[in-house]
Structure formats: structure tokens, C-alpha cells
């Protein structure tokens, strides 16, 4: 059964971006479904074809899209997000008429320019000049227009020196620049862009973003498939989320980005860890031959008590750790540190166990920790200090956990803090 679609039109209308609600529909998609037939056994060799000429090939069906319906309005920057294999690129190819849907309808108003896969439509044996003109014609330009705009294509792509070089000698980045430049000069009403732009360098990516801004101001419609949630938040008027071929969300781009991150980082992966892996940096401050404790269990949990591998911004770090004493311990204390990817301690705290702990006794460290962390990967370390009266002090370090903090809030510094501070104008003084 398809999962329910979450619409968020109220939030979208409240955004500060110019509303396109009154604009006519540029793309209308209704109940689109797509299934591919995948052969269960491929016949690859000539010998197999000769010895079994009448052998039948069994197929299995792979449902890529199921009952997808949405509208994109003219002048809207619309994002499509989803994990790998979710069906978003297949949907974009259906919008570009590269694939035909099995069921459902797609209507587009105006000329469509797709930029979907690296090198699609290019002939590697032709030069950049010949490919640029040919693809311009394929995108709807007349032959005269395509030739007239060739200089503009080469200027945008910065490929004037390589215009007569065959495309088979181009790098992937050069091909991206040429293909995108042709699409820009085609000046279509609807631009369909896949995340192939990630192949380009930073300067070219910024140039593409400038084109998107310019086209949106000109009332053009842009549909972008991407894994970059920062682009979705910053650029899109609305966004949709596809998961396992089903439409899960359409509406506010920040909500779409957050749900995408939850799909990627939420939940728990039950993967067995080798014994002793969590004690990767056991350290003794003295020459004590044995360690203080051994880790039996270390896990983060959510508010409902379910195990999680990653935590959403602002949600507490609910720690569930069980240690076992490997020797008699007195005056034992625990220092918990949270470190970022660079190994810098972001914050920490200490707790002390007053009673003595016999060897073999279990020690439980459970509780909730405030989470001021910004997006990123972190490690949670525990330093166990045994401080017996008149005995040797021994300190042991345990790397208990590594986890990811995810979310859509902007990143400022190492932690996110609450501040009761608002800018205001000073009241004019009276003379």
C-alpha cells in the first residue's frame, strides 16, 4: 500500500519567496507508474546463444514508480529529493519524454530542455562545435539559431580553445560545461536538471547557480534532482521527496530536506561489532597491566527508547552504556567527552561513583544529555579513572560511540546555543 502523501501548502505559502500559486501549471503529473523488466539470467556468451537458441529468458518486474502525482507551476524552482534507487532520475526522464510511463499522464506547457545524464545526445566522434550545433537543434533551436549561438555556448563553457577537439578527448568536467551551456542557450521554458552538475568544479557550479537565479527571475520553470539539501533549502520554492518509488512529501523545501535526512540517518542498523572494537584507544596512565573496565554495551536511543545510530539536531543524546569492572575499583570516576571529526572536544562532563566496585560487577551509564551540536559526525569517549587510597591511579579511555547529527538548521560554530538577543534601533535622543 502506498504511504500517505504529506502536503504542506500552508507552510509554503508562508515562506518569504515570491509565491507562484497564482501562476499557471507548467508540469502536470497524474498517477504515473513505471516498471522495468529485469532478466533473471543474462545470455552473454556466443556459445550459450548457439547451444541454446530457443531458450526462454525469465524476467522479474522491478517497480520504480507508483502512482506519482504533483504539479509544478510556471516560474517555480522545484526540487526532487530521494535516496539512491528511489526513482527520482526515472521520473525526470519521464518528464523529458525519454521514458514513457506505463500508466498515468504527464503534460508540460512550453519547450523542455533536459540536462539529465553526462554525454547523452553527444557523439564522441564529433567535435565540440558539431555537437553543440546538433544538440541545439535537438533542443528546439533552428539550425541557424544553433550556429548563431555557438559563440555564446563556448564562452559560457570556457571551451573556445577546444572547439575543434573531438568529444572523446574531453574530460567529464568539460563535457558537463558544454552540455549545460547548450541547454542555457536553448532558452527553454522548462529546465530539467539532474545532479550531474556535481561533476563540475566549484566555479562552474556557482555559474550554474547564477543561471538558475536568472532563469527564475525571467519566469522560467526549473526542476532539479539533487542530494544536496542545502541547495534545496536555499533555491527551491517547493520540493518533493520520493522513497522506494512512492511520493512521501511535497511542499516546504526545508521539511522535504529534513525528511530526506531522516530517511538517511534515522533508525538503527543492527550490525554486530567485533569484541573489543569500542576500546580502540585504551590508555593507562601508569604501568597497570589490566584495564579498569570492559564495554558490554553502548548505544544511543531516541525518546521512545528505540536504538538509533544518528540523532536529529536538538534531540537529546540518550545514552545507554553498560560496563563491567575487570578489577576491584575504588573512587571510580567517569569523564564523558563528545569530539568532532577533527578530534576536538566540543563539550564534556564528569560523574563519580562513590561506592567500591568489585571485579565482575556491572556499571550502568544511562541518561539524557542536552544536544547543542550542529550537523556533522561526532565521537563519544569515556575516560574511566580508578583512584584508590594509597594505590596507583589508572586512567582508561574508551571510544564508546560514533554518530551523526543531522538537520536543516544553519551551522554557526561548533554548537548551537540559545540567545535572548534581538537587534533594534536606538530610540532617537531628544534635544
Amino acid at each position: 500500500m502506498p504511504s500517505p502523501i504529506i502536503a504542506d501548502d500552508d507552510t509554503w505559502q508562508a515562506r518569504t519567496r515570491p509565491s507562484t500559486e497564482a501562476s499557471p501549471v507548467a508540469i502536470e503529473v497524474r498517477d504515473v507508474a513505471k516498471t522495468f523488466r529485469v532478466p533473471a539470467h543474462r545470455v552473454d556468451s556466443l556459445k550459450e546463444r548457439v547451444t541454446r537458441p530457443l531458450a526462454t529468458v525469465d524476467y522479474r518486474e522491478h517497480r520504480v514508480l507508483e502512482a506519482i502525482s504533483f504539479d509544478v507551476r510556471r516560474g517555480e524552482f522545484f526540487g526532487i529529493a530521494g535516496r539512491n534507487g528511489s526513482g527520482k532520475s526515472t521520473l525526470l526522464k519521464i518528464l523529458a519524454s525519454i521514458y514513457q510511463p506505463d500508466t498515468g499522464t504527464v503534460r508540460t506547457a512550453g519547450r523542455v530542455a533536459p540536462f539529465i545524464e553526462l554525454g547523452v545526445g553527444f557523439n564522441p566522434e564529433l567535435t565540440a562545435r558539431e555537437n553543440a550545433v546538433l544538440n541545439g537543434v535537438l533542443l528546439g533551436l533552428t539550425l541557424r539559431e544553433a550556429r548563431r549561438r555557438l559563440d555564446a555556448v563556448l564562452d559560457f563553457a570556457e571551451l573556445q580553445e577546444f572547439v575543434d577537439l573531438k568529444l572523446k578527448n574531453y574530460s567529464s568536467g568539460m563535457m558537463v560545461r558544454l552540455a549545460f551551456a547548450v541547454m542555457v542557450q536553448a532558452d527553454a521554458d522548462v529546465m530539467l536538471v539532474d545532479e550531474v552538475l556535481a561533476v563540475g568544479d566549484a566555479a562552474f557550479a556557482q555559474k550554474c547557480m547564477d543561471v538558475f537565479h536568472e532563469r527564475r527571475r525571467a519566469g522560467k520553470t526549473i526542476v532539479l534532482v539533487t542530494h544536496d539539501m542545502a541547495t534545496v533549502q536555499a533555491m527551491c520554492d517547493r520540493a518533493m521527496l520520493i522513497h522506494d518509488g512512492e511520493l512521501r512529501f511535497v511542499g516546504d523545501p526545508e521539511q522535504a530536506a529534513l525528511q530526506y535526512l531522516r530517511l538517511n540517518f534515522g533508525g538503527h542498523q543492527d550490525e554486530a561489532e567485533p569484541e573489543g572494537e569500542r576500546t580502540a584507544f585504551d590508555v593507562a596512565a601508569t604501568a597497570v597491566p589490566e584495564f579498569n573496565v570492559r564495554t558490554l554495551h553502548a548505544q544511543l536511543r531516541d525518546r521512545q527508547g528505540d536504538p538509533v545510530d544518528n540523532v536529529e539536531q536538538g534531540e537529546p543524546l540518550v545514552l545507554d552504556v553498560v560496563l563491567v569492572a575487570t578489577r576491584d575499583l575504588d573512587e571510580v570516576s567517569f569523564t564523558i567527552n563528545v569530539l568532532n571529526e577533527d578530534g576536538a572536544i566540543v563539550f564534556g562532563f564528569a560523574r563519580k561513583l562513590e561506592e567500591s566496585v568489585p571485579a565482575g560487577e556491572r556499571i550502568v551509564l544511562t541518561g539524557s544529555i542536552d544536544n547543542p551540536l550542529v550537523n556533522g559526525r561526532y565521537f563519544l569517549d569515556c575516560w574511566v579513572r580508578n583512584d584508590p587510597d594509597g594505590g596507583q591511579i589508572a586512567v582508561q579511555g574508551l571510544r564508546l560511540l560514533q554518530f551523526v547529527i543531522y538537520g536543516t538548521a544553519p551551522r554557526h560554530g561548533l554548537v548551537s546555543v540559545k540567545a535572548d538577543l534581538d537587534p533594534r534601533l536606538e530610540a532617537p535622543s531628544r534635544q
Side-chain angles (χ1 to χ4, degrees):
M1 171 183 273
S3 300
I5 301 172
I6 306 172
D8 200 57
D9 292 332
D10 293 339
T11 308
W12 169 42
Q13 293 173 15
R15 296 179 65 83
T16 57
R17 296 186 177 95
S19 175
T20 56
E21 185 180 10
S23 302
V25 173
I27 301 174
E28 181 187 84
V29 179
R30 292 291 180 271
D31 297 322
V32 164
K34 183 67 177 177
T35 300
F36 291 112
R37 296 179 68 206
V38 182
H41 173 70
R42 294 180 58 183
V43 180
D44 295 322
S45 66
L46 178 61
K47 178 181 178 181
E48 193 170 3
R49 291 182 183 274
V50 172
T51 56
R52 302 176 60 197
L54 301 179
T56 59
V57 179
D58 294 328
Y59 293 88
R60 62 178 177 85
E61 289 192 346
H62 175 56
R63 177 59 63 95
V64 181
L65 297 172
E66 184 173 352
I68 303 293
S69 298
F70 64 95
D71 291 335
V72 180
R73 297 190 174 275
R74 190 171 67 189
E76 190 173 24
F77 198 119
F78 191 84
I80 301 178
R83 301 178 69 180
N84 289 334
S86 61
K88 58 188 185 299
S89 293
T90 299
L91 175 60
L92 205 65
K93 291 176 182 177
I94 291 176
L95 298 182
S97 298
I98 297 174
Y99 291 160
Q100 290 296 318
D102 297 333
T103 59
T105 59
V106 176
R107 294 186 177 92
T108 56
R111 191 153 48 89
V112 177
F115 185 59
I116 293 179
E117 286 187 4
L118 182 61
V120 169
F122 282 157
N123 186 333
E125 295 298 329
L126 299 180
T127 64
R129 181 193 308 275
E130 294 165 334
N131 273 289
V133 173
L134 177 60
N135 275 264
V137 172
L138 292 176
L139 290 175
L141 299 177
T142 65
L143 182 58
R144 178 177 296 179
E145 286 176 325
R147 288 172 174 167
R148 180 169 54 84
R149 299 186 187 190
L150 177 61
D151 288 338
V153 169
L154 298 175
D155 287 341
F156 186 92
E158 301 174 5
L159 294 172
Q160 298 92 336
E161 298 180 20
F162 309 100
V163 62
D164 292 314
L165 184 67
K166 288 187 177 181
L167 226 63
K168 65 181 180 181
N169 298 314
Y170 269 34
S171 68
S172 59
M174 294 167 71
M175 290 180 63
V176 166
R177 280 152 44 195
L178 180 63
F180 191 83
V182 172
M183 184 186 68
V184 170
Q185 289 303 315
D187 197 27
D189 301 297
V190 179
M191 296 172 64
L192 305 176
V193 184
D194 206 344
E195 53 197 345
V196 70
L197 289 179
V199 178
D201 55 29
F204 179 73
Q206 183 57 54
K207 186 182 288 190
C208 295
M209 289 299 139
D210 294 340
V211 168
F212 291 153
H213 285 294
E214 176 190 341
R215 290 295 188 266
R216 187 166 62 172
R217 287 193 297 267
K220 306 295 184 181
T221 305
I222 304 169
V223 178
L224 176 67
V225 165
T226 182
H227 284 289
D228 184 3
M229 293 303 102
T231 300
V232 170
Q233 292 175 261
M235 299 287 293
C236 294
D237 298 300
R238 287 191 304 149
M240 62 183 285
L241 176 65
I242 298 180
H243 184 62
D244 290 340
E246 300 175 1
L247 181 57
R248 292 293 183 88
F249 178 89
V250 59
D252 177 65
E254 291 201 13
Q255 287 296 318
L258 182 57
Q259 293 206 32
Y260 169 82
L261 293 172
R262 285 173 177 167
L263 282 176
N264 279 269
F265 295 113
H268 173 60
Q269 301 171 356
D270 294 322
E271 296 181 357
E273 298 192 23
E275 181 69 22
E277 183 175 329
R278 298 187 184 275
T279 59
F281 71 109
D282 291 306
V283 178
T286 62
V288 179
E290 67 268 28
F291 295 131
N292 296 326
V293 297
R294 181 168 55 89
T295 306
L296 291 183
H297 171 80
Q299 181 65 62
L300 288 175
R301 298 189 178 274
D302 60 17
R303 292 179 184 270
Q304 290 71 42
D306 297 323
V308 294
D309 295 299
N310 309 292
V311 182
E312 190 174 326
Q313 276 182 312
E315 289 293 306
L317 302 173
V318 181
L319 195 61
D320 178 13
V321 175
V322 179
L323 309 174
V324 61
T326 57
R327 53 186 295 188
D328 293 338
L329 302 176
D330 293 307
E331 300 292 329
V332 62
S333 59
F334 305 89
T335 300
I336 302 292
N337 290 329
V338 173
L339 300 82
N340 63 13
E341 276 190 302
D342 298 325
I345 297 176
V346 181
F347 68 84
F349 58 91
R351 294 293 184 268
K352 189 173 183 179
L353 189 61
E354 298 296 340
E355 57 261 50
S356 299
V357 182
E361 192 74 15
R362 295 190 176 190
I363 305 168
V364 177
L365 299 174
T366 59
S368 179
I369 306 170
D370 285 342
N371 176 17
L373 300 172
V374 298
N375 294 344
R377 183 173 295 279
Y378 296 91
F379 303 95
L380 190 144
D381 295 348
C382 178
W383 292 87
V384 185
R385 176 186 172 108
N386 184 39
D387 194 4
D389 292 335
Q392 289 180 309
I393 298 174
V395 180
Q396 177 191 4
L398 300 170
R399 172 138 295 171
L400 295 178
L401 295 164
Q402 64 170 308
F403 58 95
V404 170
I405 297 295
Y406 65 92
T408 58
R411 178 172 183 155
H412 301 291
L414 296 179
V415 295
S416 177
V417 298
K418 295 180 180 180
D420 186 11
L421 178 67
D422 292 311
R424 62 180 176 83
L425 293 176
E426 184 181 12
S429 59
R430 295 183 179 180
Q431 301 292 337

